[in-house]
Amino acid sequence: MSHPLLRYYLPAASDEALTWDVDVAVYGATMAGIMAAIEAAQDGLRVLILNPGRHVGGMTTSGLGWTDFGNPSVVGGLAKEFYTRLGRHRHAREEMLWTFEPSAAAAVVRDMISEAGLRVENGYYVDQVRKSGGEITEMRSTSGATVRARWFIDASYEGDLMARAGVSYVTGRENNEEFGEVFNGFQLRDLN
């Protein structure tokens, strides 16, 4: 079975070398990327979301319709707004909704993107980065588009932008001696 949207790598078709100059470039249209972009736009910054794929919202709009929330009173900001909008969308009530259909999440996300005036460019995969000192100043995509920004945010699940920038990373869990953590991986709860 072959379908053009069922491919991991589907770059944007471009006959021209596009260049964008913005304040903030967000790489990845995951929920974290979208929320960061909305926050930056609300602060008056020019924002561009570069989405390697064609779908916005990441796992939240792709099938993960259950939220582990613990104590709802600690949820605030844009997360609270998102979950409250889900409640309005589903039940027409002002209450946060923790279990939802991905299509409802996608509708809310599309509204939030539109209201913030965000630009999302799909199919742009990072190929190269240019840095000044330790900061990324420019990203070039595999299709030849260039983005110059004051700040870059890697909100991808894979961390491709950071990897291209040479950011060091660790896979797996670090040894306890590395940072003096003895409870990593465990949740300490009062069971009495």
Side-chain angles (χ1 to χ4, degrees), residues 35-190:
M35 294 301 154
I38 290 171
E39 191 67 38
Q42 288 176 346
D43 286 343
L45 300 173
R46 296 170 300 132
V47 181
L48 174 66
I49 299 175
L50 291 166
N51 185 17
R54 301 250 185 264
H55 183 79
V56 296
M59 293 188 298
T60 303
T61 60
S62 296
L64 183 63
W66 176 270
T67 305
D68 296 330
F69 59 88
N71 182 353
S73 68
V74 300
V75 177
L78 289 173
K80 182 176 183 175
E81 181 180 339
F82 172 74
Y83 291 114
T84 302
R85 285 180 176 222
L86 281 170
R88 268 188 251 136
H89 183 83
R90 174 92 183 267
H91 302 294
R93 292 194 304 248
E94 291 293 317
E95 64 182 44
M96 289 189 275
L97 186 64
W98 307 106
T99 306
F100 49 86
E101 296 83 12
S103 60
V108 169
V109 166
R110 282 192 302 272
D111 287 347
M112 292 177 81
I113 288 171
S114 176
E115 291 164 15
L118 295 175
R119 181 173 183 172
V120 179
E121 293 290 339
N122 294 315
Y124 289 93
Y125 298 82
V126 61
D127 183 35
Q128 301 171 3
V129 299
R130 183 172 289 160
K131 298 189 306 184
S132 176
E135 297 181 13
I136 300 172
T137 58
E138 185 176 292
M139 183 201 103
R140 184 175 169 92
S141 76
T142 57
S143 61
T146 301
V147 180
R148 295 183 193 105
R150 291 174 57 194
W151 298 285
F152 283 83
I153 298 172
D154 189 338
S156 67
Y157 290 125
E158 298 82 11
D160 291 340
L161 181 64
M162 290 189 298
R164 288 280 194 235
V167 174
S168 63
Y169 62 93
V170 175
T171 59
R173 183 170 287 151
E174 70 274 351
N175 193 327
N176 284 347
E177 285 77 34
E178 178 98 22
F179 298 105
E181 296 175 341
V182 294
F183 298 116
N184 54 339
F186 293 94
Q187 291 186 0
L188 300 179
R189 297 180 183 192
D190 182 7

